[in-house]
Amino acid sequence: MTAIARTRPTRLVIVVRADPVICGHSVEARNLAEVALQRGFDDVRIVTWPIEKLEAAGLPLKPLDVVLPYSPGITVERPAPVGDYKVPDSRYLAGITGRLVELFTDGVPTVALSLYLSPHTVAVADAMRVAWATGLPVDVTTIAEAVGSDVTNIVRACVAEGRFGPAAHILSSYLSQDHCVAVSEYTRDLIVESAAEVDEIHGTRFAEQCRERVAISYPAIDSAPYLDLDPAEVERVAAARGLRPGGYVLFLSRLARAKGIDDLIDGFARSAAARDGQRLVIAGRGPEASELHAVAAASGVGHLIDFLDDVGDAEKPYLMAGCSAFVLPSKPRPEFVETFGIALAEKMLAGGGPIITCDTGGIGEAVGEHATMVPAGDGPAIGRAIDEAIAVPAHIQRERAARARDYALQFDRVNVFDRLFARVLPERLPVPIE
C-alpha cells in the first residue's frame, strides 16, 4: 500500500441517487456540492446512476426539463454498466465502483461522501479496498451518511427475517468509513437499536461501535430560494396554476403510502375549509399516484383536489409560501419511516400558512415547536387541524412563520457543511473563497 502525505482536500466526491430522483437527499447532495465550491474544493463530482437505470427502478423522477442546472465546477458522472446483460444490477454497480477506484488512485486528495449505506457506502468501501490493493497513491477520507431508510428497509428487515449476512455487510461497510454520520438523532438511535438486535442474536459488537462513532449531520438545505419571496411573484405562480394565495392546502412530497396522503384526503373532505371552497393541492410523483387519484375521486371533494406532477425546484418555494396550510401527515410503514422531513424545513423557510404533520421518526427534529402535530393515520384530526390553522389571524401567522424560519436556518447548507467538516476534518477544511 502506498499513501501520500495528507494535505488539504481538493476534490469532493458524493455518491448518491442524484437528480432527477424526487428525494430530499438528492437535493442535499446538490447543496453540499454547491457549498464545496464556495469552500475551496476545485473538483466536485456527483457519482450516480444512468437515467435509464433510475427509470427502470420505478423511482419517482422529476421531468428532466425542470431540473435546475448545476454550477460550473460540479461534474455529474453516470458510469456506464460493466459486463454483459446477464447480471444487470451488478453491471451498473460495477461501473460506479470502478469509477470510484479510478478517482481514489489518481493521487488527488479527496473526500468521498456516500448517502445511503446500500448500495453507495458499500460501493465506496469496496472501491477503497481495491484502491489500496493497487499499490497506487491513495489520499482519501471517507464519510458515510445514513439517511434512515437504508436501515429500516434493509438492516431491520434482515433482522426480522433472520438474515445475518446482509445486515453485517451493511453495518461493517458503514463502520469501515473514516467518519459515520446520521441525518437525525432518531436515525442514529435506529441504527444503534438495529445493530443491538444483530449483536444479541449473533454475538457481534456493532452497536457499541455505532454508539461511539455515529454523529449527527442534518440534511443540507439551500435557504436562499425560500427567503424574501416577492408577494407579487407568489401570486403570479399561484395564478398560473389556477390558484390564489391563501386559497389552497398544500402537500408536496413523494406520492407513497408512508406519506399519509390518503389520510389527508379524508381529513380535507371532512373540513370546513373544503366546504368554504379551499382547494387541496397534491404535488409530487410516486408509485401510489393512480391509487390516490381514485381515492380523491371517491372522496366527494374530488373537484377541489389538484394533482401536480410537474412542480420544479424553482416553483416549489412560491407554492409553499402561498398555501393556507402545509400538510405532511407521514406515518410509519415497514418499508419507510420519515427520518427527518426536508420538505417541512423548506416550508418553514418559505413562510406561508401553518404546518400540520405527525410526530413520526425524525420529524420533531425538523420542525421543533413550529408545527401542529396530529396522530398518524387520523383523517378527522387532520381536518380539524386544517380548519384551526386557517382560522389563525394573519398577524399571528406571520409572527409564527418568522420564528419557524429562524429555527429552520440551522439547516442551511452552508451551516450544515461547515459543521460537518469542522467535526470530521478540521485540519483539512478548505479556506472559503471570498
Side-chain angles (χ1 to χ4, degrees), residues 13 17 23 61 94 97 141 208 228 231 237 246-247 269 305 309 338 349 374 378 384 428-429:
V13 175
R17 294 185 319 191
C23 172
L61 306 179
T97 305
T141 298
E208 178 183 344
D228 302 320
V237 170
I305 301 177
D309 65 0
E338 201 82 59
L349 291 167
V374 297
D378 192 334
R384 292 191 296 271
R428 301 177 69 194
L429 183 65

Side-chain angles (χ1 to χ4, degrees), residues 10 18 29 32 36 49 86 104 110 112 173 182 189 200 211 221 238 246 256 267 288 291 299 309 358 374:
T10 58
L32 292 172
W49 304 82
K86 297 176 184 176
F104 293 171
T110 297
S173 296
D189 292 345
E200 184 176 356
R211 194 177 293 110
I221 298 170
E288 311 305 326
E291 178 181 321
S299 68
D309 65 0
C358 304
V374 297

